[in-house]
C-alpha cells in the first residue's frame, strides 16, 4: 500500500510539474511573440548575426523554454523568402562584426539577401568593426551582399584573407612517452597528422593550399562584384588590411561611417516614417513560414559528428546517429504524403560503422520510392559525404568542404609514459590479437596486418558506394579520393556534387525529383516531427533502455579520451573522430 501511495503522488507531482512548465512556456511564447497582434503596415526586418546561425531544426519547446529562442539558418532563409513578397516589409537591417558563421553558411545567407533585394527591397549592414583583434574576412564578405555597409568611426575592416594553422603535438607526445600509431587510406587522409607529425606533409600542404586558393578566389570574386571592384584590387586590399574606417570608405569597401542608431535610421528611411523594427523570428512567427502548403517534402537534418550511439539531454535534437536518422527516414518513407526527402548534412564524419548504417537508410528510402536530395552546409566530408553518396542529387555551396573519401584507424600507445611514471601493466589473454586494442602496448605484426585489412575493406567499400551513387568509374573515384578534401566548387567539377547552392536550390531539385512543376507549392515538414512541450519533457525523462550504450568508436575513442585528460591544460580536444573523419583544416579563417 505504501508503494502505491508513493507511486501515486510521484505521478501527480510529474503531471503538476509538466503542467507548470506548459503554463510557463505558453506565457513566455506569448510575451516573445507579442500575442496575436496583426503585423504593422510598414516593417523593417532586423537580424543580429554576430552570434551566428545554427544549422538544424528549431529547438523543441522545452529547449526554447530553458535556453531561449535560437535563430537557425532556415529561419533566416525562410523569413527573407516570405518577406521578399510581403509588401509590408520595406527593408532589412543586419548587425555583423564577429567571425561566427562558417564560409558556406555565409554564402547561403548572402544568397538569401540577394534574392530579397532582387524583389526591390533594401538591405543595410552595420558593424562596429569587422575583426577588432581578430579576423574579419567572413563577416565583411557577408556584408557586401547589402546595399549599404555602415561602419563605426573607430572600426576597421579586417579583410586579412584566410589562414589555416594546425598545431602539431608529435614533439610533445614524444616527451611524454606517448606514441601515436595510425594507418590511413590514403596520403591525404591526414586527420591524425597533428599527432604523428611535426609539420605538414607534402600531400597535406598541397590539399590545404588548394583549398585556401579556391576559397580566397570565391571571396575576392564576391566582394569585387558587390563593391564594383576588380578581383586584383580586392587582393591588393587584402594584402594591406586591416584598414581604418576612413580608408575603407576611400577604397570603396563601405558606404557610410556612422553609429548603430544612424544605420537604423537609414534602414527606416527606406520605409514609412512610422515603420516598426521587427526581428526575423517574430516576423516569421506572425507571418508564417513559406512552403507551408502543398505537396509534402520531408526535411531531415544530419548535423555534427556521426556516432553509433546518440545524443542525450537537450542535445537530442542534433543527434546524428543511426537510431535518430533511421527514425526520421522510416517515418518519412512510410508517409504516403511525402513526395521527396531533403537531407541537410553538416558533418565532418565520425564512426565508419554508423556511417554505413545511415548510408543504408538513404538507400532504403530511395528503394521505397522517395527521392533524396542532399543539401550540404559548411562541411560534408568523410562520413558526412559517405551518407550523402547514394542521394539522387547533391547540392553544395562553393565553399562547402566536401569529399575526404578515405579512412584511418589506430591508437595512442601509453607504455612509454607509464614507464616514466612507474606504472606497470600485467595481463592474461586468450587469442593472438586480444591485446590489439590495448593502449598499453603497440600493434603486433599480426594485429597491424588485421588493422590494415580492415582499413582496406572500409576504403574499398567507401569508394564503391561513391562510384555507384555518383555513377563514376572506379578510376574516376580513385582520382578524387585518397582522403582529399575539396571545396564545393572544385567538387562539382570532379563529379562529387550536382549543383552549387543552398537550401533553396536543394528544395527546387526536390520539387523536380517529386515530378512537381517548377515553383509548385510545397509543404516542408521536419522529420522527426516536432514535439510539444509535454512530449519533449517526457522524452527527456523516460528510460533509454532501447539505446545502444556503446557510443564510442572503439580504441580510437579510448585513446583520445586518455589524451584529453593528459593535455587538458593545452586545450587539446578530439571528439570521437572514428574512422571516417575529415582532416582538420586548421580552422580556416
Amino acid at each position: 500500500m505504501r508503494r502505491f501511495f508513493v507511486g501515486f503522488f510521484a505521478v501527480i507531482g510529474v503531471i503538476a510539474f509538466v503542467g507548470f512548465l506548459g503554463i510557463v512556456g505558453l506565457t513566455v511564447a506569448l510575451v516573445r511573440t507579442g500575442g496575436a497582434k496583426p503585423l504593422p503596415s510598414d516593417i523593417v526586418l532586423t537580424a543580429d548575426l554576430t552570434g551566428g546561425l545554427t544549422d538544424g531544426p528549431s529547438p523543441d519547446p522545452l529547449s526554447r523554454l530553458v535556453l531561449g529562442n535560437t535563430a537557425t539558418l532556415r529561419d533566416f532563409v525562410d523569413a527573407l523568402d516570405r518577406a521578399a513578397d510581403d509588401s509590408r516589409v520595406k527593408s532589412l537591417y543586419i548587425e555583423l562584426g564577429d567571425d561566427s558563421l562558417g564560409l558556406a553558411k555565409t554564402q547561403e545567407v548572402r544568397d538569401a539577401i540577394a534574392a530579397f533585394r532582387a524583389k526591390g527591397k533594401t538591405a543595410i549592414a552595420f558593424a562596429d568593426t569587422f575583426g577588432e583583434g581578430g579576423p574579419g574576412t567572413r563577416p565583411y564578405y557577408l556584408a557586401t551582399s547589402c546595399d549599404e555597409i555602415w561602419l563605426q568611426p573607430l572600426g576597421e575592416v579586417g579583410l586579412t584573407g584566410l589562414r589555416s594553422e594546425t598545431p602539431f603535438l608529435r614533439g610533445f607526445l614524444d616527451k611524454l612517452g606517448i606514441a601515436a600509431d595510425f594507418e590511413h587510406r590514403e596520403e591525404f587522409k591526414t586527420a591524425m597528422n597533428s599527432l604523428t607529425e611535426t609539420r605538414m606533409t607534402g600531400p597535406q600542404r598541397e590539399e590545404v593550399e588548394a583549398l585556401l586558393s579556391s576559397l580566397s578566389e570565391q571571396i575576392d570574386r564576391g566582394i569585387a562584384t558587390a563593391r564594383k571592384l576588380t578581383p586584383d584590387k580586392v587582393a591588393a586590399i587584402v594584402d594591406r588590411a586591416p584598414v581604418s574606417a576612413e580608408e575603407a570608405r576611400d577604397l570603396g569597401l563601405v558606404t557610410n561611417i556612422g553609429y548603430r542608431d544612424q544605420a537604423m535610421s537609414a534602414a527606416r528611411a527606406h520605409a514609412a516614417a512610422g515603420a516598426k523594427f521587427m526581428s526575423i523570428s517574430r516576423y516569421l512567427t506572425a507571418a508564417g513560414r513559406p512552403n507551408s502548403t502543398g505537396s509534402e517534402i520531408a526535411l531531415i537534418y544530419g548535423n555534427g559528428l556521426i556516432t553509433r550511439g546518440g545524443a542525450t539531454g537537450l542535445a537530442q535534437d542534433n543527434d546524428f546517429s543511426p537510431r535518430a536518422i533511421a527514425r526520421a527516414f522510416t517515418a518519412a518513407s512510410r508517409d504516403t504524403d511525402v513526395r521527396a526527402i531533403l537531407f541537410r548534412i553538416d558533418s565532418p564524419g565520425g564512426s565508419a560503422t554508423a556511417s554505413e548504417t545511415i548510408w543504408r537508410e538513404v538507400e532504403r528510402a530511395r528503394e521505397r520510392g522517395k527521392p533524396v536530395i542532399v543539401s550540404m552546409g559548411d562541411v560534408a566530408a568523410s562520413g558526412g559525404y559517405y551518407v550523402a553518396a547514394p542521394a539522387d542529387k547533391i547540392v553544395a555551396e562553393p565553399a562547402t568542404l566536401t569529399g575526404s573519401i578515405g579512412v584511418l584507424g589506430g591508437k595512442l600507445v601509453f607504455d612509454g609514459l607509464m614507464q616514466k611514471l612507474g606504472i606497470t601493466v600485467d595481463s592474461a589473454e586468450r587469442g593472438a590479437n586480444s591485446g590489439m586494442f590495448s593502449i598499453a602496448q603497440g600493434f603486433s605484426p599480426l594485429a597491424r596486418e588485421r588493422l590494415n585489412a580492415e582499413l582496406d575493406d572500409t576504403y574499398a567499400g567507401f569508394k564503391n558506394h561513391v562510384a555507384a551513387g555518383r555513377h563514376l568509374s572506379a578510376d574516376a573515384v580513385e582520382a578524387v579520393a585518397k582522403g582529399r578534401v575539396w571545396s564545393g566548387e572544385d567538387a562539382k567539377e570532379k563529379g562529387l556534387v550536382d549543383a552549387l547552392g543552398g537550401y533553396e536550390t536543394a528544395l527546387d531539385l526536390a520539387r523536380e525529383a517529386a515530378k512537381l512543376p517548377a515553383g509548385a507549392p510545397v509543404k516542408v515538414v521536419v522529420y522527426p516531427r516536432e514535439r510539444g512541450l509535454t512530449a519533449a519533457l517526457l522524452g527527456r525523462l523516460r528510460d533509454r533502455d532501447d539505446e545502444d550504450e556503446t557510443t564510442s568508436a572503439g580504441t580510437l575513442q579510448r585513446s583520445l579520451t586518455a589524451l584529453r585528460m593528459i593535455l587538458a591544460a593545452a586545450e587539446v580536444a578530439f571528439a570521437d573522430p572514428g574512422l571516417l573523419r575529415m582532416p582538420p583544416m586548421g580552422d580556416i579563417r
Side-chain angles (χ1 to χ4, degrees), residues 205-329:
R205 180 167 292 281
E206 177 186 343
E207 175 184 52
V208 173
E209 293 282 3
L211 277 170
L212 288 177
S213 294
S214 178
L215 302 181
S216 294
E217 289 171 5
Q218 293 172 29
I219 292 172
D220 290 353
R221 286 199 309 266
I223 293 174
T225 301
R227 302 306 306 152
K228 296 180 173 56
L229 302 169
T230 66
D232 288 343
K233 177 69 171 178
V234 175
I237 293 172
V238 168
D239 287 339
R240 64 173 290 193
V243 297
S244 69
E246 294 287 347
E247 289 177 306
R249 183 171 59 184
D250 293 342
L251 290 168
L253 298 179
V254 302
T255 55
N256 302 83
I257 297 176
Y259 295 94
R260 181 175 183 270
D261 61 292
Q262 294 172 311
M264 294 184 73
S265 295
R268 179 177 270 138
H270 291 280
K276 303 296 184 183
F277 287 92
M278 180 173 288
S279 69
I280 60 169
S281 59
R282 286 189 60 200
Y283 171 76
L284 201 56
T285 299
R289 288 188 184 275
N291 304 314
S292 56
T293 59
S295 300
E296 190 168 309
I297 304 292
L299 174 58
I300 298 173
Y301 287 97
N303 293 337
L305 285 172
I306 301 174
T307 62
R308 287 176 55 215
T312 58
L314 294 176
Q316 291 178 54
D317 296 310
N318 282 326
D319 185 357
F320 203 173
S321 68
R323 184 198 67 250
I325 298 301
R327 186 166 61 243
F329 268 93

Side-chain angles (χ1 to χ4, degrees), residues 272-512:
K276 303 296 184 183
F277 287 92
M278 180 173 288
S279 69
I280 60 169
S281 59
R282 286 189 60 200
Y283 171 76
L284 201 56
T285 299
R289 288 188 184 275
N291 304 314
S292 56
T293 59
S295 300
E296 190 168 309
I297 304 292
L299 174 58
I300 298 173
Y301 287 97
N303 293 337
L305 285 172
I306 301 174
T307 62
R308 287 176 55 215
T312 58
L314 294 176
Q316 291 178 54
D317 296 310
N318 282 326
D319 185 357
F320 203 173
S321 68
R323 184 198 67 250
I325 298 301
R327 186 166 61 243
F329 268 93
T330 298
S333 298
R334 290 177 176 174
D335 192 332
T336 56
D337 291 332
V338 171
R339 301 288 298 274
I341 297 173
L342 200 167
F343 189 15
R344 175 74 178 190
I345 299 173
D346 195 351
S347 171
S351 164
T353 303
S355 298
E356 175 78 0
T357 305
I358 294 170
W359 172 89
R360 176 57 183 159
E361 292 301 326
V362 179
E363 278 279 279
R364 290 181 67 202
R366 297 183 66 226
E367 289 172 358
R368 291 168 175 166
K370 306 293 185 181
V372 179
I373 308 298
V374 164
S375 170
M376 307 201 299
D378 282 326
V379 55
S382 203
Y385 187 77
Y386 192 109
V387 301
D392 293 85
K393 297 288 184 181
I394 298 177
V395 180
E397 288 290 352
T400 299
L401 300 182
T402 307
S404 191
I405 301 167
V407 59
L408 63 89
K411 63 181 178 180
L412 294 173
V413 182
F414 289 81
D415 60 339
L417 175 62
M418 291 188 288
Q419 289 177 25
K420 291 182 179 183
L421 298 176
I423 299 172
T424 59
V425 175
D426 201 359
S427 64
E429 58 192 51
R430 298 292 186 277
N433 287 328
S434 62
M436 180 175 177
F437 304 112
S438 170
I439 62 174
Q441 65 182 51
F443 290 110
S444 68
L446 178 58
R448 189 175 301 279
E449 176 188 328
R450 299 316 306 155
L451 172 64
N452 281 311
E454 179 185 359
L455 296 183
D456 287 339
D457 287 345
T458 303
Y459 184 45
F462 195 166
K463 291 188 293 182
N464 288 339
H465 285 331
V466 173
R470 302 302 304 155
H471 307 291
L472 297 171
S473 68
D475 289 342
V477 173
E478 181 64 28
V480 297
K482 302 178 182 178
R484 182 159 184 166
V485 180
W486 307 92
S487 70
E489 189 172 61
D490 290 340
K492 184 176 184 298
E493 294 181 1
K494 305 294 182 183
L496 297 177
V497 167
D498 294 292
L500 296 179
Y503 168 78
E504 291 291 341
T505 302
L507 187 58
D508 287 341
L509 289 175
R511 278 193 189 90
E512 181 182 316

Side-chain angles (χ1 to χ4, degrees), residues 68-90:
N69 278 328
T70 302
T72 69
L73 179 62
R74 184 185 170 213
D75 289 342
F76 186 89
V77 172
D78 277 358
L80 264 61
D81 185 13
R82 173 66 76 192
D85 295 315
D86 189 339
S87 61
R88 295 166 298 193
V89 178
K90 303 301 192 294

Side-chain angles (χ1 to χ4, degrees), residues 26 76 92 94 111 117 150 159 166 232 257 437 455 483 485 516 528 535:
L26 179 61
F76 186 89
L92 169 70
I94 62 174
D111 291 344
R117 291 176 58 199
W150 285 69
L159 185 60
T166 303
D232 288 343
I257 297 176
F437 304 112
L455 296 183
V485 180
L516 298 171

